[in-house]
Amino acid sequence: MYRIHGKKFQDITQFWLGKGIDGFRFDMAEMVPVEFWSYLNSHIKNTNPEAFLLAEVYNPTLYRDYIRKGKMDYLYDKVELYDTLKHIIQGTGSTDHLVPIQAGKADIEEHMLHFLENHDEQRIASPEFAGNPWKALPAMVVSATVSTAPIMIYFGQEVGEPGAEKAGFGEPSRTSIFDYIGVPQHQKWMNGGKFDGGQLSENEKALRNYYSEVLNFTRNSSA
């Protein structure tokens, strides 16, 4: 059965690789045996060694299997780093927890994708999370500089998107991927197709500049 499904998915991924797609994000990969991913990802990497492979695996005891056997490039660092940083931002967690988290992943840290927002999580600027996008900046610095791991910025995060709309699926605080819904803060940056941030307030521009400075520092600093 795995062989049949593996061949089918191999055909699908090879089709898209042939169209120029250069990466895949796998939803809840830990619900599928690691042998499947080893088979599939080996074929993807054989076709394009630089293909970007990102997966959801939220059981830390499985991280190494899905990286080493499953040949994933990156896994979301959700249940340890993200969850801890969220609690710290909200004033209910301790920075003391960060040291053992990083120590426990020292051998795979470059494969753990850091983030503070994604489509599953609440927007920082939402009242349900922090209510103020500036409150996350210390956590952003930690996420970006604590290791050599990459960090993802979810669109609109850098301009304070609160996810306040009632899109029809779920409740406000997250940006829906299931509805036809805009992302107002991001659209202010787009500015009618000019992509110059022309509709942003000075405060929003300052927030985006801070994110830009942090990201450029991680790219250019010898540290």
Side-chain angles (χ1 to χ4, degrees):
M1 182 67 72
Y2 291 148
R3 185 176 301 171
I4 295 172
H5 290 169
K7 183 63 170 65
K8 183 65 175 179
F9 276 94
Q10 178 196 339
D11 290 344
I12 292 170
T13 53
Q14 291 298 315
F15 170 84
W16 288 111
L17 288 168
K19 295 290 186 181
I21 296 297
D22 58 3
F24 299 92
R25 180 266 191 194
F26 302 120
D27 195 81
M28 290 308 295
E30 69 187 81
M31 299 181 72
V32 179
V34 70
E35 291 80 5
F36 167 87
W37 298 112
S38 181
Y39 173 86
L40 182 69
N41 290 342
S42 293
H43 283 280
I44 292 173
K45 290 291 190 178
N46 185 60
T47 300
N48 180 4
E50 300 301 317
F52 181 94
L53 303 179
L54 168 65
E56 284 185 311
V57 176
Y58 293 156
N59 181 349
T61 65
L62 298 177
Y63 286 168
R64 287 159 184 82
D65 277 351
Y66 280 78
I67 292 168
R68 294 168 180 165
K69 296 179 183 178
K71 306 185 186 304
M72 299 295 182
D73 292 317
Y74 301 104
L75 307 179
Y76 287 98
D77 203 345
K78 194 272 182 194
V79 300
E80 293 182 323
L81 185 63
Y82 167 82
D83 286 347
T84 299
L85 288 174
K86 182 175 183 179
H87 292 152
I88 293 170
I89 293 169
Q90 293 178 321
T92 61
S94 171
T95 55
D96 291 344
H97 297 150
L98 296 173
V99 175
I101 286 173
Q102 288 309 113
K105 294 195 291 286
D107 60 319
I108 57 171
E109 55 88 15
E110 70 271 22
H111 297 285
M112 302 306 299
L113 178 72
H114 296 175
F115 66 94
L116 292 176
E117 288 188 349
N118 68 31
H119 72 279
D120 286 322
E121 307 301 337
Q122 293 173 315
R123 291 288 194 169
I124 297 161
S126 71
E128 293 81 359
F129 189 150
N132 181 342
W134 290 91
K135 289 184 177 181
L137 296 189
M140 173 61 191
V141 173
V142 171
S143 294
T145 64
V146 74
S147 69
T148 64
I151 183 166
M152 177 182 72
I153 305 300
Y154 190 52
F155 74 136
Q157 174 184 338
E158 76 285 7
V159 288
E161 171 59 41
E165 291 71 36
K166 293 184 178 180
F169 187 94
E171 298 296 326
S173 77
R174 294 174 175 84
T175 294
S176 175
I177 61 172
F178 301 104
D179 295 281
Y180 292 103
I181 186 71
V183 184
Q185 291 297 103
H186 181 63
Q187 290 169 292
K188 288 167 69 175
W189 162 254
M190 291 170 61
N191 192 24
K194 295 179 181 178
F195 296 94
D196 60 3
Q199 297 180 37
L200 295 176
S201 68
E202 292 304 312
N203 185 63
E204 292 158 355
K205 290 177 181 177
L207 180 67
R208 189 177 189 279
N209 286 339
Y210 190 97
Y211 273 95
S212 178
E213 289 175 2
V214 171
L215 292 174
N216 279 291
F217 173 79
T218 64
R219 290 180 59 85
N220 300 319
S221 170
S222 59

